Amino acid sequence: MIKGCIFDLDGVVVDTAKYHYLAWKRLANELGFEFTEHDNERLKGVSRMKSLEILLEIGKLSFDEDTKLKLAEKKNNWYVEYISKMDESEILPGVKEFLSKLKESGYKIALGSVSKNAMIILENTNLKQYFDAIIDGNKVTKAKPDPEVFLKGAEELNLKPEECIVFEDAIAGIEAARRANMKVIGVGSKEILKDADMVIEGFKNVSVDILKAL
Ligand code: BG6
Ligand code: MG
């Protein structure tokens, strides 16, 4: 029986996936190569340093560790500049209503994101109040597709993994949920999120009954 929901943040709750993309694209362009939205799918849900590795592989470039840290910091500074201006208007359609309905129906709610910037986003958008547990990039050592972030979410909710459902927009996140032994609802396109148990386009008019349909 499902008792809790674990939400990814970027691209599920808020539209920050576009800001990650813009900041990585800016870095790629500065380094002299193109970075497309298609390439960007490989970065979703992946940690900052691993994302940089993938980006440099696309650009066929290699740097020493020190330079890589500086490049990642540069990208993060641009990203933080974008998200520092965020407010409630950037919560994706239907999300707040869905979170409220879950609460009213007695489900526990956790955040399961590998972003180290998750807390600033939750604060700027006024969403912190909805979460019984918040797992972010500062609490985990392994990024998705490792299941650590979701297993910690279940643990902090005092639930078994099989009592939780994950909402994810990333291929790596869907694999992480599977490895955590949790059902997973993909948020986005069916073509990309083929391995999810179900895919929804977004949360607009979505009823809590979907949790029973799995
Ligand atoms: C994930 C995003 O939520 O967080 C990734 O999908 C991002 O694109 C990762 O790389 C780490 O985020 P941050 O904010 O710590 O660089
Ligand atoms: Mg995401």
Side-chain angles (χ1 to χ4, degrees), residues 8 10 20 43-48 51 75-76 79 113-117:
D8 170 51
D10 295 319
H20 278 294
L43 269 52
K44 287 187 179 172
V46 173
S47 74
R48 197 180 303 165
S51 296
K75 178 267 172 181
N76 190 55
Y79 178 69
S113 166
V114 300
S115 170
K116 293 193 164 111
N117 294 301

